[in-house]
DNA sequence: AGCGCTCGCGAAAGCGCTTTCGAACGGCGG
DNA sequence: CCGCCGTTCGAAAGCGCTTTCGCGAGCGCT
């Protein structure tokens, strides 16, 4: 589909302002070497004409696009959509454009998306969501991203480890310790975990937190029942079924994210297991509607939107000598899905 | 941040293949005028070298970017993130890039985003979410979008009216009639509505459906209590408060989307109004976690992800003479938030 | 053999912008 | 009054790609 020539070029603005293309460019870019009076005139004319630069031309000439690539596992997962909300907000304020890609929790796919973004010459890449402990994939992605950084690209990651990248890191281990401690203090001793793929670093970290809390309480962790399934609502359902079957005397389930917790609650409802009287359920993330579930979900609050905002803000700051780390706080949010352990 | 020259140019591929730039370009684009044997060689070399075209150069030279712009009110609203999920999925399959913008339900902002996308030379724009009945704004946006279409851009809208655009249209009126009918059949007569901004076409359409159902049942609609507030969870809370205060004998509230329904439920819980025994609540959209609320939300199911998929697929098909319309089905989903009207 | 075709390919002209390099100008000291 | 410098601006060279135009070769035809 052939498009007619662009509607309004910088040359048009320059002509109207009675200056050269060069001067117009400099004026609008705020470069110096242009008398303030002239610059102002160019800006005014540009505004009057409604001129908007062609970003492709700009990128081609200049090197880097004013675009940020955001890689999430799945945008319709509230965890990611809330993070994305934060990213899009900051981007909007700075007139940047956000490109969204799904990695679908698939390392190969993620690599592909990274390649895509690099080919696009985006200026910033933000990767949200856990990395894979799978070393081979991780290595390939790392290689690709290092090239990206070496050529001036800015990288920030949320909730995963990555050498040389600015990182926003929720305290997964600490949060898991906190919530496990909450259950212990309610008297629970037979605790089970609904976990996602253990190769996901987030899952591994949170699980480590649960184990740490149990050990600190003097409970031997080797026998900790860990039901591994997808890190989603359906996975939570599956995990809960398995726990009910294999460890029927469990009194509390820690789901390693809210999505799984929802699945767990749903499975428990199907099995007519009263929550929290017979079984306590805890989640992690505090996605926006955790409060509205039946029953309200006790969980660990992570400032998701804020994390997205911080990631982009960090990436946008001039590159530091050493990668920045921003640890986010977490807070225990007690609602109705947890209660005292049944007195047996 | 100056970037070194691109890693690999089409010229490099052409040289290695022993053909001219022109031929290489044609070969990779699948244009004819190049012997199959030569084309195959170019493709092979390109693959071996891992060549990826610079999309900005391509756009600049060619006219249109292989990018789709998606305008949503707010990406962390499940209604939109589920739609976005569908769009991103189809885009991923076709190697397109999705750019997300927030309009924040603000007409002026939406216009700004449209301008931005047009300036970006995106090939496709998808606008999700209701339009504004505000004629002035709408007119400006229409002008902008018409230019976009005239210059070969493809436009699709979801859930709003727009001349000349392919559209995916949930049956807002019909769905609202259905759910109102459900409440009527449960014996409710004093029904109130929690509505968003009436200037939003979605709100207007759904409200019309409620009114139509009531009129068909012989109930005079002029006295229908309509509490207008933001089209969000908070708005739902506000609307519920107002309904409880001004129309204390109401037995059922129709919220015009699930977000408001959640707010309504939350307000009712705060006021200790038992749902559904004292008050039935119905929503609209069936966002993914409506089933997990307390109590499970009776609502109208819209195939949100599918709507996103359809919108992009439609926009990608070669332009038709007349704009395409795709009406989506809807289904009443009865859960626990609605029940028989209290016997007074 | 000579003519006009078609077919396959390459040279070159942009697309709209940024940036380098050099020109013009005015002010200054010598 | 001349030369030098700093400042302000413009001409032009790309950035990497697509596309128009034209050339030359090979074909069938008269």
């Amino acid at each position: 589909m052939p498009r007619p020539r662009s509607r309004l070029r910088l040359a048009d603005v320059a002509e109207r302002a009675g200056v050269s293309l060069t001067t117009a460019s400099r004026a609008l870019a705020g470069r110096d070497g242009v008398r303030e009076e002239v610059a102002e005139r160019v800006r005014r004319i540009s505004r009057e004409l409604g001129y908007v630069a062609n970003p492709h031309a700009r990128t081609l000439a200049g090197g880097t696009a004013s675009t940020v690539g955001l890689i999430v596992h799945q945008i319709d997962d509230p965890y990611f959509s809330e993070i994305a909300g934060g990213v899009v907000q900051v981007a909007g304020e700075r007139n940047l454009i956000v490109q969204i890609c799904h990695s679908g929790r698939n390392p190969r796919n993620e690599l592909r998306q990274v390649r895509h973004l690099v080919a696009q010459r985006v200026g910033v890449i933000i990767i949200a969501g856990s990395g894979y402990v799978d070393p081979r994939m991780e290595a390939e992605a790392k290689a690709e991203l290092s090239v990206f950084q070496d050529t001036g690209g800015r990288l920030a990651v949320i909730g995963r480890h990555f050498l040389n990248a600015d990182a926003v890191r929720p305290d997964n281990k600490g949060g898991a310790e906190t919530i496990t401690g909450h259950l212990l203090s309610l008297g629970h001793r037979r605790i089970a975990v609904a976990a996602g793929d253990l190769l996901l670093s987030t899952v591994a970290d949170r699980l480590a937190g649960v184990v740490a809390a149990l050990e600190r309480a003097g409970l031997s962790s080797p026998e900790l029942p860990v039901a591994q399934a997808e890190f989603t609502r359906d996975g939570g359902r599956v995990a809960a079924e398995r726990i009910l079957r294999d460890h029927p005397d469990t009194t509390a389930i820690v789901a390693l994210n809210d999505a799984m917790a929802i699945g767990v609650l749903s499975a428990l409802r199907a099995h007519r297991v009263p929550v929290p009287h017979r079984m306590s359920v805890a989640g992690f993330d505090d996605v926006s509607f955790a409060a509205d579930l039946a029953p309200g979900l006790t969980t660990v609050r992570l400032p998701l939107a804020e994390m997205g905002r911080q990631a982009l803000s960090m990436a946008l700051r001039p590159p530091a000598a050493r990668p920045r780390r921003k640890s986010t706080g977490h807070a225990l949010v007690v609602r109705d899905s947890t209660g005292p352990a049944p007195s047996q």
Side-chain angles (χ1 to χ4, degrees), chain A residues 16-344:
Chain A
R16 289 279 285 256
V19 297
S20 80
L21 196 56
T22 315
T23 303
S25 170
R26 276 197 274 248
L28 293 183
R31 295 240 177 304
D32 47 35
V34 175
R35 233 181 321 147
E36 180 48 32
E37 167 203 343
V38 175
E40 178 47 35
R41 178 156 37 100
V42 173
R43 279 193 292 262
R44 182 174 46 77
I45 302 235
S46 149
R47 210 175 322 117
E48 285 172 9
L49 264 47
Y51 168 75
V52 184
N54 180 327
H56 302 287
R58 179 172 280 177
T59 301
L60 191 56
T64 307
S66 60
T67 297
V68 356
L70 173 62
I71 302 182
V72 299
H73 287 335
Q74 189 79 25
I75 188 64
D76 52 355
D77 176 329
Y79 176 82
F80 292 108
S81 70
E82 289 182 35
I83 288 178
V87 172
V88 173
Q89 186 197 330
V90 173
E93 290 163 3
R94 315 229 187 166
N95 258 310
L96 295 172
I97 285 183
V98 178
Q99 301 189 343
I100 293 225
C101 322
H102 276 180
S103 67
R105 276 188 224 286
N106 172 341
R108 180 166 299 285
N109 210 335
E110 176 174 313
L111 183 56
R112 199 178 129 244
Q113 302 296 356
V114 168
R115 291 229 169 88
H116 233 80
L117 290 175
V118 171
Q120 281 270 333
R121 271 71 172 173
V122 301
V124 179
I125 292 181
I126 295 180
I127 306 184
S130 1
Y132 304 91
V133 184
D134 175 348
R136 220 190 55 243
M137 270 309 173
E138 193 78 343
E140 275 194 71
K142 272 197 177 125
E144 198 79 19
L145 286 169
S146 294
V147 171
F148 172 69
Q149 291 184 296
D150 291 348
T151 55
R154 307 284 305 127
L155 173 66
V157 298
I158 298 177
R160 76 155 62 183
H161 310 267
F162 190 88
L163 244 54
N164 280 341
D166 288 346
V168 174
R169 313 226 318 226
D171 183 3
N172 285 315
K173 188 165 179 232
E177 285 189 51
T178 303
I179 199 139
T180 308
H182 164 70
L183 291 172
L184 288 169
S185 74
L186 286 169
H188 293 276
R189 288 300 174 268
R190 289 186 303 280
I191 296 177
V193 175
D197 189 335
L198 291 180
L199 289 182
L200 290 169
S201 60
T202 303
V203 173
D205 292 349
R206 293 181 180 179
L207 184 56
V210 174
V211 170
L214 291 177
E215 283 181 344
R216 185 147 18 83
L219 275 71
S220 53
S221 71
E223 60 189 42
L224 172 70
V226 176
Q228 200 181 145
E230 286 196 1
F231 209 28
T232 60
R233 181 211 316 241
D234 284 341
R237 216 167 287 158
V238 171
E241 302 275 358
R242 212 175 300 150
I243 290 168
L244 288 177
R245 193 189 59 209
D246 300 343
H247 303 274
D249 55 351
T250 299
T251 66
I253 297 179
V254 179
L256 295 189
N257 71 2
D258 282 356
M260 287 197 90
I262 294 171
V264 168
L265 287 175
S266 148
L268 293 178
R269 201 179 315 136
H271 285 264
R272 312 209 171 288
V273 177
V275 175
H277 317 95
R278 160 75 183 76
M279 181 82 82
S280 285
V281 176
F284 203 119
D285 290 341
D286 197 30
V287 297
S288 67
F289 54 87
D292 303 302
L293 296 173
L297 186 63
T298 294
T299 187
V300 177
R301 168 169 302 165
L302 253 32
L304 298 172
E306 178 60 24
M307 285 159 60
R309 280 191 291 267
Q310 285 181 350
L312 182 49
S313 305
M314 267 168 62
L316 254 26
R317 278 203 289 267
R322 309 176 338 123
R324 281 174 281 254
R325 296 276 133 86
K326 186 106 191 175
S327 295
T328 69
H330 60 266
L332 176 65
V333 182
V334 178
R335 298 200 182 91
D336 315 321
S337 68
T338 53
S343 46
Q344 182 65 339

